Amino acid sequence: ALPGVANARPGLQESRERLSVCSKLCYAVGGAPYQITGCALGFFLQIYLLDVAQVDAFYASIILFVGRVWDAITDPMVGFFISKTSWTRFGRLMPWIMFSTPFAIISYFLIWFVPDISTGQVMWYLVFYCAFQTLVTCFHVPYSALTMFISREQSERDSATAYRMTVEVLGTVLGTAIQGQIVGKVDTPCVGSPFFFGLTNSSVAMEELNMTHDTRGLTDTRNAYMIAAGVIGGLYILCALILVLGVKERRESCELQSDEPVSFFQGLKLVMNHGPYIKLIAGFLFTSLAFMLLEGNFALFCTYTLGFRNDFQNILLAIMLSATLTIPFWQWFLTRFGKKRAVYVGISSAIPFLILVVVLDSNLFVTYLVAVAAGISVAAAFLLPWSMLPDVIDDFKLQHPSSRGHEAIFFSFYVFFTKFTAGVSLGISTLSLDFAGYQTRGCSQPGQVHFTLKMLVSAVPVGLILLSLLLFKLYPIDEEKRSKNKKALQDLR
């Protein structure tokens, strides 16, 4: 604690812990780059690799799988190096954010560039996808841990988290809108099945199609993806500047009077033996998997199964706008009824809409209604993990008052588990499309592909959500426990 603070009047000390609206907004803006780029990659990278870069579905699954798994591995690695980082006049976390930003933007742009090479294209995308995931991790892990260093008041951290989640969901809207609207303005050419051509002239017809409409249209589409990448890169820089210039990293915010340094691996062992943390990440692990599968395959589902090739970007935008507008509602709900109840109500509300979207006949109006309703559940899935993790860290501090500096471990390993399993699931889902007979740039797909897409955006996510709700029953930190922890922490400080 700061000298003299212990003897200060409670009202004065509490006022010093208050965060201004400006500070909360600047902090919240820092969450946008991760969500803008992540949303663009999540919704569009799969269809870009398959239909624009024309990567074989098998190799596309390898790129998605390896990239996601590498992304997961880098989280604990960065968390380890952050724990070894010394404090500077900018803080311990801010330097990571500042120095990773320019290199992240370069690698992000190169992901959306189609190299003019006959061999090595798969390696190109794999290298730059992994490079970007590493660099954006160097931004996001310290940013996530920054939650514990802006204030030591639970209410202030929860309020700042609500601001952050609102901006992050808005970031997903921007990512969807920028990528979708720019790319959607261009008509990506598709290739009809040779079955529809005569047996004698099928190759001639295919060659004629490829040499006329295909070449010009595909070039325009590739240019559109690069323009979108440039716009998103500019927003990344702007948000990083606002965060660095507008937020003060407070060393004392997370230190207790009895703090003593503990090594990274000792801290890791303590963290992984902390029951509430394991139960929390287990629940959100399956929730994240459900929404990752939906995100990764929804563009293909809208394009081929529902037949909305020219509308899917607007449907995605409807989901994200709905999620953005309902974040304040979920913040009010968890304050009024508790975080565990918000989990049950918010996440389970997605189930009927995930079922409806595949049961009902293809109808654009109904699809928009389902998209808006699904966005309400997406908002809860965005807000709740980041609102509940600080409660787990507070509980850990009470049980291990001599341990400090492990905030990055909590956040990075939570992200590690969700990203690792998401990488496995997305790799398997893309591979399953290959086995089902996915036709690259096809105007239509075989029946087995339609069935596979329905499973990937409905049946499997619903099963994962139900499993996560069962696991949340074991999570022990309710509102009564949170209040007791808050008072005990104040006494300890």
Side-chain angles (χ1 to χ4, degrees):
L2 287 174
V5 172
N7 296 324
R9 290 175 299 170
L12 179 61
Q13 182 176 344
E14 183 177 350
S15 66
R16 288 177 179 175
E17 292 293 335
R18 293 283 182 186
L19 294 173
S20 67
V21 173
C22 181
S23 295
K24 292 176 184 177
L25 285 173
C26 290
Y27 164 74
V29 166
Y34 181 78
Q35 296 300 337
I36 293 174
T37 56
C39 189
L41 289 168
F43 279 125
F44 293 92
L45 183 59
Q46 185 185 51
I47 197 170
Y48 167 81
L49 291 174
L50 293 173
D51 289 357
V52 180
Q54 301 182 45
V55 177
D56 182 78
F58 174 75
Y59 293 111
S61 69
I62 292 176
I63 293 170
L64 293 172
F65 169 72
V66 174
R68 289 279 188 164
V69 170
W70 175 250
D71 184 24
I73 293 172
T74 57
D75 283 283
M77 289 172 56
V78 171
F80 170 78
F81 289 120
I82 289 175
S83 69
K84 297 298 183 182
T85 303
S86 300
W87 282 86
T88 68
R89 65 189 183 97
F90 300 106
R92 187 174 67 177
L93 304 174
M94 285 298 188
W96 285 82
I97 294 171
M98 291 187 288
F99 292 119
S100 65
T101 295
F103 301 104
I105 293 167
I106 294 172
S107 59
Y108 179 78
F109 181 81
L110 292 175
I111 291 174
W112 303 104
F113 176 75
V114 180
D116 188 18
I117 52 178
S118 56
T119 58
Q121 190 182 43
V122 173
M123 188 57 64
W124 172 281
Y125 290 113
L126 191 58
V127 168
F128 287 110
Y129 187 34
C130 289
F132 173 73
Q133 298 290 22
T134 302
L135 292 162
V136 79
T137 296
C138 292
F139 181 104
H140 193 250
V141 168
Y143 171 74
S144 299
L146 190 63
T147 307
M148 303 302 296
F149 291 88
I150 56 175
S151 175
R152 60 186 178 190
E153 286 295 319
Q154 271 189 5
S155 58
E156 291 300 294
R157 293 201 306 257
D158 284 348
S159 176
T161 299
Y163 276 81
R164 171 191 166 188
M165 290 301 109
T166 302
V167 173
E168 286 200 3
V169 178
L170 181 60
T172 65
V173 173
L174 286 174
T176 305
I178 293 169
Q179 190 86 4
Q181 297 304 314
I182 292 177
V183 172
K185 297 295 183 182
V186 181
D187 183 20
T188 304
C190 62
V191 177
S193 172
F195 175 79
F196 296 105
F197 297 103
L199 293 177
T200 58
N201 67 346
S202 63
S203 60
V204 175
M206 291 289 286
E207 182 179 358
E208 182 179 350
L209 176 65
N210 288 335
M211 292 180 63
T212 53
H213 172 67
D214 176 53
T215 302
R216 183 177 59 192
L218 199 56
T219 300
D220 291 341
T221 302
R222 291 172 176 176
N223 290 337
Y225 272 98
M226 287 190 289
I227 292 171
V231 174
I232 289 175
L235 285 175
Y236 195 120
I237 294 176
L238 178 62
C239 294
L241 284 174
I242 292 174
L243 172 66
V244 171
L245 297 176
V247 176
K248 178 178 175 59
E249 183 181 345
R250 304 179 183 184
R251 182 173 185 174
E252 72 276 5
S253 293
C254 219
E255 293 183 349
L256 304 176
Q257 291 179 350
S258 56
D259 280 342
E260 293 293 340
V262 178
S263 74
F264 175 84
F265 291 104
Q266 287 177 313
L268 178 60
K269 183 178 179 181
L270 291 173
V271 168
M272 290 304 162
N273 286 326
H274 190 57
Y277 179 63
I278 298 301
K279 292 168 185 174
L280 182 72
I281 62 174
F284 279 116
L285 173 68
F286 292 104
T287 301
S288 299
L289 277 177
F291 286 103
M292 285 283 186
L293 279 174
L294 180 64
E295 178 186 74
N297 294 281
F298 196 72
L300 292 172
F301 177 73
C302 288
T303 299
Y304 294 112
T305 302
L306 296 182
F308 303 139
R309 175 179 291 273
N310 297 321
D311 295 286
F312 77 87
Q313 68 272 10
N314 297 322
I315 297 170
L316 298 179
L317 188 58
I319 295 174
M320 294 308 167
L321 280 173
S322 173
T324 303
L325 295 175
T326 50
I327 281 283
F329 165 77
W330 287 117
Q331 174 62 19
W332 169 83
F333 190 96
L334 66 87
T335 303
R336 178 68 176 81
F337 298 103
K339 296 179 182 180
K340 285 190 69 173
R341 188 168 296 177
V343 168
Y344 299 138
V345 175
I347 295 176
S348 63
S349 64
I351 294 177
F353 303 108
L354 292 177
I355 296 174
L356 279 176
V357 78
V358 298
V359 170
L360 297 178
D361 292 334
S362 178
N363 182 287
L364 187 58
F365 178 73
V366 172
T367 303
Y368 272 111
L369 288 180
V370 171
V372 171
I376 298 174
S377 186
V378 170
F382 263 90
L383 175 64
L384 289 166
W386 303 110
S387 180
M388 296 168 79
L389 269 172
D391 300 334
V392 172
I393 297 174
D394 285 343
D395 187 73
F396 175 84
K397 283 185 170 296
L398 287 175
Q399 295 189 28
H400 306 280
S402 62
S403 179
R404 68 174 175 84
H406 304 306
E407 293 78 18
I409 297 177
F410 277 96
F411 286 96
S412 63
F413 271 88
Y414 164 71
V415 178
F416 165 77
F417 286 116
T418 55
K419 285 181 178 178
F420 182 84
T421 50
V424 173
S425 65
L426 287 176
I428 292 175
S429 69
T430 308
L431 197 59
S432 66
L433 290 174
D434 185 37
F435 290 147
Y438 180 86
Q439 301 295 317
T440 301
R441 294 174 49 236
C443 294
S444 62
Q445 298 293 340
Q448 287 184 326
V449 172
H450 295 307
F451 176 78
T452 303
L453 286 170
K454 287 181 179 180
M455 292 294 102
L456 293 173
V457 301
S458 180
V460 178
V462 167
L464 291 169
I465 288 174
L466 292 174
L467 182 56
S468 71
L469 293 176
L470 290 176
L471 291 170
F472 278 122
K473 293 288 290 183
L474 303 175
Y475 179 67
I477 302 179
D478 53 18
E479 294 308 299
E480 182 181 356
K481 178 72 171 175
R482 286 182 67 229
S483 298
K484 290 180 179 178
N485 285 353
K486 179 179 179 181
K487 184 178 185 305
L489 277 174
Q490 290 174 343
D491 295 339
L492 187 58
R493 288 183 178 119

